[in-house]
């Protein structure tokens, strides 16, 4: 019998309407703080959740998200035309010193699953977090991480396999 | 029998296989116990991962998040591009927002003195390195912010710290005291370099400026391990500048000591000497230091974050991380280790290279390498 695999009831990442987003970005580039805060309100939750999934520290996740939004605002004039806001946000987060990519999960004692998460490469953990926490489709993850879709599929699968092995549920990462 | 690969199982789990491939995979699962079992374990792991990686705070958390960001971006305006004019409708709905985002605007000018006070507060706070200097959410400053949504929450404090500078500057006052203090501090630094620290320390102490130490001094000099958490003496609770956040945890575990957190206005030579004396006893015995007092200090710093931004915010982040680290150092537990790591990482986000960052990185390595 095939097991039921539904895992999350959270609202997944939803992008703003593209034209509305472009309009808000344009206004923010004119110095309109209200427009920018509208963008923040829409994307703060997924960004925080993603940062939390990477660090599993509420404090660290909030600080990271704050820093990312503040940086994007500061350099809003350099916002690349036509790029989705969340894509750019993630790009900024990934390049922050001490940011997501250099973040490893907090120490977890004896929980083998959490240890297995910690053992993942940051990029793989991010791909997995985008999938599990935000339920983003592979193609969108590939766009967000600027990777080919095939690589994303491979990394997510490998990460799952490694964690099964790490938690003693599988003999190895590959069948 | 050919089994399904982990990629196929993973893609099936994510419903990312094509219809035909998914049908074949499901058919295989019905007849292969090994793959079916593995798929079931993947599903269970997925549920556990969703719980482990998920954090979905309430709306209030994100409201505070947005407010804090708004305060921050008010003081850190963007580099603007020549832009199309904003619609008149939006200007009517948020006139202050436009004004404060425009560097030359009057609103921006009103923020500047507060920023100066932030820097001053951050510097003087080094006298009591683990004592927050600003108000936490829920304090009187917050009330004033609600009345004037775009006014920085720190403005009332700015007037307290620099009563003659920020106020007079806004009114075209006669003398820039903040600039004068800065010049004296720089002269002191040069003097220290040229003539040694003792003479300059004496002169600075005599002039009441001994509190203007470099931001990183307590972390860089030998003996940095002997930082003390704040001790809120009963007599000081009514003092506006030394008043702990109203919702701060009571420092019940703190042993009463002579050294207390002093107000910015009342920083004196005695403060410095008392502070330095108290630092000469790094051990937990007999000095009032304990993991609990550091935890209390950390909580205070944590609460102060909501009303800080810029350099002062980053300084508070460092103090918070250090207090957490000291608490863990005195009484290491897994929970404390997790809190230290979180606090240090929060500080490291966006922090500039330098001694503070190096110290924080060192603490992080120590905690992570400790097995806790």
């Amino acid at each position: 019998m095939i097991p039921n695999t539904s895992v999350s009831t959270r609202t997944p990442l939803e992008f703003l309407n593209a034209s509305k987003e472009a309009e808000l970005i344009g206004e923010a580039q004119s110095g309109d703080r209200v427009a920018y805060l509208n963008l923040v309100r829409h994307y703060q939750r997924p960004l925080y959740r993603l940062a939390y999934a990477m660090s599993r520290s509420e404090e660290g996740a909030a600080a990271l998200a704050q820093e990312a939004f503040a940086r994007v605002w500061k350099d809003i004039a350099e916002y690349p035309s036509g790029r989705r806001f969340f894509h750019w946000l993630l790009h900024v987060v990934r390049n922050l010193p001490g940011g997501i990519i250099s973040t490893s999960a907090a120490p977890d004692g004896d929980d083998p699953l959490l240890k297995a998460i910690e053992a993942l490469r940051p990029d793989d953990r991010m791909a997995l977090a985008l999938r599990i926490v935000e339920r983003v489709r592979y193609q969108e993850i590939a766009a967000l991480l600027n990777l080919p879709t095939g690589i994303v599929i491979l990394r997510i699968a490998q990460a799952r396999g490694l964690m099964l092995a790490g938690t003693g549920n599988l003999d190895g990462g590959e069948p | 029998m050919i089994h399904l690969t982990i990629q196929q199982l993973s893609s099936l789990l994510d419903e990312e296989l094509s219809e035909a491939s998914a049908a074949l995979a499901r058919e295989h699962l019905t007849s292969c116990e090994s793959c079916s079992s593995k798929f079931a374990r993947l599903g269970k792991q997925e549920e556990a991962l969703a719980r482990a990686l998920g954090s979905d705070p309430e709306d209030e958390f994100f409201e505070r998040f947005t407010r804090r960001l708004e305060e921050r971006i008010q003081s850190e305006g963007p580099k603007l591009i020549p832009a199309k004019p904003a619609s008149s409708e939006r200007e009517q709905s948020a006139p202050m927002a436009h004004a404060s985002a425009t560097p030359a605007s009057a609103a921006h000018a009103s923020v500047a003195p507060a920023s100066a006070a932030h820097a001053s507060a951050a510097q003087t706070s080094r006298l009591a390195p683990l004592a927050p200097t600003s108000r936490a959410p829920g304090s009187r400053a917050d009330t004033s912010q609600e009345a004037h949504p775009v006014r920085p929450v720190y403005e009332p404090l700015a007037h307290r710290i620099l009563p003659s500078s920020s106020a007079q500057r806004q009114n075209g006052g006669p003398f820039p005291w903040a600039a004068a203090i800065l010049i004296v501090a720089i002269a002191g630094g040069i003097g220290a370099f040229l003539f040694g620290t003792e003479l300059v320390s004496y002169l600075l102490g005599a002039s009441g400026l001994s509190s203007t130490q470099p931001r990183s001094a307590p972390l860089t000099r030998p003996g940095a391990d002997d930082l003390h958490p704040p001790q809120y003496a009963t007599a000081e609770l009514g003092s506006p500048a030394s008043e702990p956040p109203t919702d701060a945890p009571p420092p019940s575990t703190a042993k009463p000591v002579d050294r207390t957190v002093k107000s910015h206005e009342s920083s004196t030579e005695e403060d410095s000497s008392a502070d330095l004396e108290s630092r000469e006893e790094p051990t937990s015995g007999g000095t009032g230091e304990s993991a609990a007092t550091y935890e209390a200090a950390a909580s205070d710093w944590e609460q102060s974050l909501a009303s800080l931004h810029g350099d002062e915010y980053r300084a508070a982040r460092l103090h918070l991380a250090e207090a957490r680290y000291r608490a863990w150092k005195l009484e290491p537990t897994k929970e404390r280790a997790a809190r230290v790591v979180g606090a240090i990482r929060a500080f490291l986000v966006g922090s500039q290279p330098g001694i503070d960052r190096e110290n924080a990185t060192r603490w992080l390595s120590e905690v992570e390498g400790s097995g806790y």
Side-chain angles (χ1 to χ4, degrees), chain B residues 6-358:
Chain B
I6 189 74
Q7 286 93 337
Q8 287 168 326
L9 291 171
S10 173
S11 297
L12 181 64
L13 188 71
D14 290 334
E15 298 173 353
E16 292 267 7
L17 287 178
S18 67
E19 266 186 41
S21 298
L24 284 172
R26 288 184 188 281
E27 189 180 333
H28 176 82
L29 287 177
T30 56
S31 59
C32 178
E33 195 176 330
S34 169
C35 288
S36 178
S37 166
K38 195 184 293 179
F39 189 64
R41 289 199 302 275
L42 267 181
K44 282 184 183 170
Q45 176 178 269
E46 202 75 350
E47 290 172 10
L49 279 172
R51 283 193 298 273
L53 298 179
S55 169
D56 217 0
E58 298 296 317
D59 290 344
E60 290 77 28
F61 174 88
F62 290 105
E63 283 164 16
R64 286 198 303 275
F65 182 95
T66 315
R67 269 204 307 275
R68 240 201 62 67
L69 183 71
E70 186 174 9
E71 287 162 14
R72 180 170 174 182
I73 66 179
Q74 271 180 342
S75 63
E76 298 175 11
K79 296 171 205 160
L80 297 179
I81 56 173
K84 59 190 178 196
S87 70
S88 58
E89 184 185 349
R90 184 174 292 282
E91 281 180 359
Q92 283 173 358
S93 64
M96 291 297 285
H98 281 287
S100 61
T102 309
S105 71
H108 190 86
S110 73
V111 172
S115 300
H118 290 185
S120 172
Q123 280 190 325
T124 51
S125 71
R126 271 303 191 181
L127 257 186
L130 296 181
T133 57
S134 70
R135 297 187 178 283
S139 64
R140 276 174 290 179
D142 277 353
T143 310
S144 67
Q145 187 200 12
E146 284 168 13
H148 308 282
V150 296
R151 178 187 293 177
V153 291
Y154 223 76
E155 197 168 8
L157 186 57
H159 287 292
R160 283 209 312 280
I161 296 169
L162 295 173
S164 58
S165 62
S166 55
Q168 286 184 2
R169 198 150 17 129
Q170 283 185 60
N171 299 327
F175 192 77
W177 286 104
I181 291 170
L182 184 63
I183 290 166
V184 172
I186 292 169
I190 295 169
F193 179 74
L194 293 176
F195 305 112
T197 55
E198 288 185 10
L199 174 62
V200 177
S201 296
Y202 171 79
L203 292 173
L204 288 176
S207 63
L209 293 173
S210 57
S211 63
T212 51
Q213 295 181 12
R215 178 179 295 278
S216 58
L219 298 175
T220 55
R221 71 164 180 272
D225 288 343
D226 53 2
L227 293 172
H228 285 250
Q231 311 283 328
Y232 293 113
T234 310
E236 288 200 75
L237 290 179
S239 171
S242 62
E243 184 179 334
T246 52
D247 49 352
S252 56
T253 55
K255 183 178 174 181
V257 292
D258 291 338
R259 189 189 71 78
T260 54
V261 179
K262 300 292 184 182
S263 69
H264 299 298
E265 298 93 335
S266 62
S267 292
T268 63
E269 188 177 2
E270 290 86 66
D271 295 339
S272 301
S273 57
D275 186 62
L276 291 173
E277 279 170 22
S278 65
R279 289 178 187 188
E280 287 168 5
E281 300 262 357
T283 60
S284 57
T287 62
E289 281 191 46
S290 70
T293 53
Y294 278 118
E295 290 288 8
S299 296
D300 288 350
W301 278 114
E302 197 165 29
Q303 288 166 15
S304 76
L305 291 174
S307 56
L308 302 176
H309 42 79
D311 287 345
E312 193 171 40
Y313 176 82
R314 282 182 275 277
R317 275 268 171 226
L318 177 63
H319 293 321
L320 170 58
E322 186 166 12
R324 292 255 187 256
Y325 168 74
R326 302 287 172 208
W328 171 82
K329 191 88 173 157
L330 285 171
E331 289 177 31
T333 65
K334 286 177 186 175
E335 292 72 27
R336 284 206 175 99
R339 285 201 292 268
V340 177
V341 170
I344 293 176
R345 284 192 183 133
F347 164 71
L348 289 176
V349 172
S351 69
Q352 298 301 312
I355 188 70
D356 289 347
R357 186 179 174 82
E358 285 171 20

Side-chain angles (χ1 to χ4, degrees), chain A residues 9-131:
Chain A
T9 55
R10 289 194 191 90
T11 308
L13 168 65
E14 284 179 12
F15 289 96
L16 265 175
N17 173 284
S19 60
K20 174 68 179 169
E21 186 172 297
E23 184 188 333
L24 288 172
I25 290 167
E27 288 168 354
Q29 286 181 316
S30 311
D32 188 338
R33 195 155 31 86
V34 175
Y36 185 70
L37 288 172
N38 280 335
L39 286 165
V40 170
R41 283 190 190 92
H42 189 86
Y43 288 112
Q44 61 186 357
R45 198 176 275 273
L47 186 67
Y48 167 84
R49 285 193 300 227
L50 191 58
Y52 180 85
M54 295 299 289
S55 65
R56 289 198 339 288
S57 154
E58 290 179 1
E59 199 176 354
L64 192 67
Q66 281 274 339
E67 190 66 27
F69 280 119
R71 293 265 175 132
V72 171
W73 166 253
K74 194 174 175 186
D75 298 329
I76 193 74
E78 292 157 26
Y79 187 91
S81 175
R83 191 151 184 191
R84 295 307 304 257
F85 187 73
F86 195 74
H87 287 217
W88 183 242
L89 205 53
L90 207 57
H91 169 78
V92 170
V93 163
R94 294 175 77 203
N95 288 290
L96 277 177
I100 267 181
I101 286 301
S102 57
T103 298
S104 62
D108 294 300
D110 302 325
D111 189 328
L113 179 67
L114 298 180
K115 277 186 175 174
I117 294 172
E118 192 178 350
L120 294 176
R121 289 178 302 185
D123 258 348
D124 294 354
R125 204 170 342 131
M126 181 178 280
L128 200 62
L130 281 165
R131 176 59 221 171

